[in-house]
Amino acid sequence: MGLLATITRNVLSSWMGFGVQVLSTLLLTPIIIEKVGLEAYGLWLFLGSAVGYYGLIDIGLRAGITQSITRQITNKEVSGLREKLSTYNPIMALVGVGVVVLATSAWQLIPHLVKISPNELKNLTTVVLIQSFGIGFGIAMLPYAAILVGLERYDISEGCAVFSKIASSLMIYIGLSLGGGIVTLAIAYTTGSVIDSLLRFTFARTLLPEIKKVAWSINGKETSALVRNSYLNTVVLLSRQVIHFSSSIIVGFLFGAASIPLYSIAGSFVEYATKIIMLSTRVLYPTMVALDKKGSESQLLQLYKLSTKLAVASSVVILIVGAVWMKRFLTLWFAGIEGTDEIIKGTPSLFIILGSSTVAIAAQRCGSQLLLAKDAVSVLAKLMALEAIATLIFSIGLGYLAGLKGVAIGTLIPCILFSFLVYIPKHAELLNTNLSSLLSSVLIRPFIFGIAYLITLKTFEIYLDEFGNWASFLFKAGGLSFFSFAILSPILFTPLEKDSLYKLITSAFKKLSASTRWIRLPRK
């Protein structure tokens, strides 16, 4: 399979898995709010943000293992891979146990940090323990998930995610229908996480039989090499967590748990947009490692330019679609649910502020994979640490001054400054290319496309009446958004890029036709 075809398959697979996750959230959120109440939902969102930090207990080993295993598979060093697994498996199992142990101690701090009613406080211990077990189990099984990444089988990896997400969503719906509460949510999500890890374990061993029957034997040399790089990966992970997922925690500290849903619902849509970019760009890492190893600098540069331009354009589309249709969407989404008027009124403006940061994030994400591929983890760690510190300072400071919008603006400002004044100049240096040329190649066409797309959608929006139901919304808002994108998307590509995409599409159709030829009846 060709380079572009492999990347396309992996990106589409990532989108499939993420699409199921988004659809599940959209369907379940109104039900969860109605069944458990806004305060319990706010507590659940807070715990979801806080629990994300448990992943940092792996002290950077998670990212280090994924990078190391990917390099071993790229270099086709199976014996070295078995040796690494014999060390990584027991280490990650111990770390997973450590997560559960730490959770049993740390949960007692939460009531002192966030205002929680006694009715919800009684469920806190159970929820935290259940969540920590799911995260601990996933950490223990991480080496096998990393193998699927190294093999570039994101289609299988995302298939596991889709199956487990559907299973957990069904459990949530049934559990809440039977009168369950926030504990039901914890059980369902944890069960889905365990199913996901077990599926990845099974597929990794099937695709790479050589890793079966690997004995646990911690190698001192392998351990030392992993530990030497772990602190850098820890800085990257912690910084990313602060930059992208700290806002709900900051809102909880400043304004209490009851204020979290308004901010978090706007933030969740932005998080989805950010995740689309992250999922689409993370598949570049194995390919960039291979290109860098071969010394294919021109191919690496072209891959960076095209992928960054597409990432920026995707984020622009999400921002514009959300800005135009958000209020009408929320009106339908929360129809008939009491206490959601403030959410419907306040979410659109918060989304526009936070969504603007997604464009800046998109501009730097492909370059982050480039830094990892060139083994420049230390550079990425330093830059992200500085951005995380700036984000905390701006978010907290402006939050005190301007409320929820201040927190959002405090997240946006550092993101824009670091993306265009720090990250991209570093990418240009690593690619041995001119900065102004690089910026123009990845920003000008998406900017022109964005203006045309915004004008088109706003024109349609002005002449459309209120939507009475979901069918009307999806047909009109969704149909017009997609139609406008399809008509305007050629603006994004150069003639050479259009030719490459045409060849990819025609090749895919030819392969599909060949694969279905066996079902055709022979002529008499």
Side-chain angles (χ1 to χ4, degrees):
M1 186 177 286
L3 174 65
L4 188 56
T6 299
I7 293 174
T8 301
R9 181 195 68 187
N10 291 337
V11 169
L12 292 177
S13 299
S14 296
W15 284 358
M16 175 192 68
F18 182 65
V20 171
Q21 178 184 342
V22 171
L23 181 61
S24 171
T25 301
L26 292 177
L27 293 174
L28 289 175
T29 298
I31 297 173
I32 294 172
I33 292 177
E34 185 176 16
K35 297 293 184 181
V36 305
L38 278 176
E39 185 189 17
Y41 182 60
L43 177 61
W44 174 254
L45 294 174
F46 179 88
L47 291 175
S49 297
V51 151
Y53 286 88
Y54 287 154
L56 301 173
I57 299 172
D58 64 15
I59 54 176
L61 298 176
R62 172 190 295 264
I65 287 174
T66 301
Q67 294 158 16
S68 176
I69 285 178
T70 298
R71 291 184 183 278
Q72 290 291 318
I73 292 176
T74 300
N75 296 331
K76 299 180 179 179
E77 298 175 356
V78 177
S79 59
L81 177 59
R82 285 180 58 87
E83 186 175 353
K84 289 182 182 299
L85 284 176
S86 69
T87 296
Y88 295 164
N89 285 339
I91 288 177
M92 297 310 289
L94 289 172
V95 173
V97 172
V99 168
V100 179
V101 172
L102 183 63
T104 59
S105 304
W107 73 267
Q108 299 180 56
L109 296 174
I110 295 175
H112 300 288
L113 300 175
V114 180
K115 183 181 178 182
I116 304 172
S117 68
N119 186 49
E120 298 303 333
L121 189 61
K122 65 182 181 182
N123 296 317
L124 188 59
T125 304
T126 305
V127 171
V128 171
L129 289 176
I130 293 172
Q131 283 184 317
S132 65
F133 172 78
I135 293 172
F137 188 82
I139 289 174
M141 303 296 286
L142 184 276
Y144 295 94
I147 287 172
L148 294 179
V149 173
L151 292 170
E152 295 191 79
R153 294 309 305 264
Y154 287 90
D155 52 338
I156 294 176
S157 179
E158 293 304 324
C160 297
V162 167
F163 181 85
S164 58
K165 187 64 180 178
I166 292 174
S168 65
S169 297
L170 287 173
M171 288 196 309
I172 290 172
Y173 179 77
I174 294 171
L176 293 180
S177 299
L178 295 175
I182 192 172
V183 175
T184 299
L185 297 180
I187 293 172
Y189 278 108
T190 297
T191 302
S193 175
V194 171
I195 292 172
D196 180 68
S197 297
L198 290 175
L199 287 173
R200 292 171 195 265
F201 169 80
T202 302
F203 278 111
R205 287 161 56 92
T206 301
L207 293 172
L208 205 60
E210 295 87 350
I211 64 172
K212 292 180 178 179
K213 298 180 181 179
V214 174
W216 285 18
S217 177
I218 297 179
N219 182 287
K221 183 178 178 182
E222 291 288 352
T223 303
S224 298
L226 192 59
V227 170
R228 277 197 301 271
N229 293 323
S230 66
Y231 76 95
L232 295 173
N233 285 307
T234 299
V235 173
V236 171
L237 292 169
L238 179 59
S239 300
R240 185 170 290 145
Q241 192 73 20
V242 170
I243 293 167
H244 301 310
F245 304 110
S246 64
S247 296
S248 291
I249 295 177
I250 291 173
V251 169
F253 287 157
L254 295 179
F255 311 111
S259 300
I260 295 177
L262 169 58
Y263 190 95
S264 190
I265 286 175
S268 65
F269 287 107
V270 176
E271 182 184 338
Y272 294 151
T274 304
K275 262 192 170 179
I276 290 174
I277 305 305
M278 289 183 172
L279 290 172
S280 302
T281 56
R282 71 175 183 176
V283 306
L284 299 173
Y285 173 71
T287 304
M288 286 183 165
V289 169
L291 291 176
D292 186 56
K293 184 176 182 295
K294 287 191 235 177
S296 306
E297 291 188 5
S298 60
Q299 276 189 287
L300 195 58
L301 176 60
Q302 291 305 314
L303 177 60
Y304 174 91
K305 285 182 177 180
L306 179 59
S307 56
T308 300
K309 180 167 61 176
L310 290 176
V312 172
S314 299
S315 65
V316 167
V317 168
I318 294 168
L319 173 61
I320 293 172
V321 169
V324 172
W325 305 117
M326 179 65 71
K327 187 171 183 179
R328 298 190 181 197
F329 170 84
L330 293 172
T331 301
L332 283 173
W333 196 29
F334 291 118
I337 299 178
E338 295 183 5
T340 58
D341 290 344
E342 187 178 354
I343 293 176
I344 295 172
K345 181 180 178 182
T347 296
S349 58
L350 286 173
F351 174 83
I352 292 173
I353 299 171
L354 292 169
S356 300
S357 66
T358 304
V359 179
I361 292 170
Q364 61 171 268
R365 277 296 301 171
C366 298
S368 296
Q369 301 306 306
L370 175 69
L371 287 167
L372 293 174
K374 286 185 170 290
D375 207 18
V377 184
S378 61
V379 175
L380 183 62
K382 291 174 184 176
L383 296 180
M384 292 195 71
L386 290 173
E387 185 182 357
I389 293 170
T391 299
L392 281 178
I393 293 173
F394 275 93
S395 296
I396 295 173
L398 292 177
Y400 274 116
L401 295 174
L404 295 180
K405 287 185 179 180
V407 176
I409 295 171
T411 301
L412 173 62
I413 292 174
C415 190
I416 292 176
L417 293 177
F418 274 83
S419 290
F420 298 108
L421 298 181
V422 181
Y423 286 108
I424 296 181
K426 188 62 184 179
H427 303 163
E429 179 186 330
L430 290 174
L431 291 166
N432 297 314
T433 190
N434 180 267
L435 175 59
S436 59
S437 172
L438 190 66
L439 284 170
S440 63
S441 64
V442 301
L443 295 180
I444 289 179
R445 286 180 179 272
F447 179 73
I448 295 172
F449 164 81
I451 293 176
Y453 192 59
L454 177 61
I455 292 172
T456 303
L457 284 196
K458 284 299 293 182
T459 302
F460 284 132
E461 192 260 348
I462 290 171
Y463 292 101
L464 285 177
D465 298 327
E466 291 297 323
F467 304 111
N469 52 56
W470 281 111
S472 175
F473 178 84
L474 293 174
F475 179 74
K476 294 179 181 178
L480 290 173
S481 297
F482 180 79
F483 174 77
S484 301
F485 170 77
I487 295 298
L488 297 172
S489 60
I491 296 173
L492 296 169
F493 304 105
T494 65
L496 182 61
E497 290 168 346
K498 290 176 185 176
D499 184 59
S500 296
L501 289 172
Y502 174 77
K503 289 179 180 178
L504 173 65
I505 294 170
T506 54
S507 175
F509 274 112
K510 287 179 181 178
K511 289 181 179 178
L512 179 63
S513 176
S515 65
T516 58
R517 192 173 298 161
W518 63 274
I519 65 174
R520 298 174 187 171
L521 294 175
R523 294 180 180 177
K524 293 183 179 180

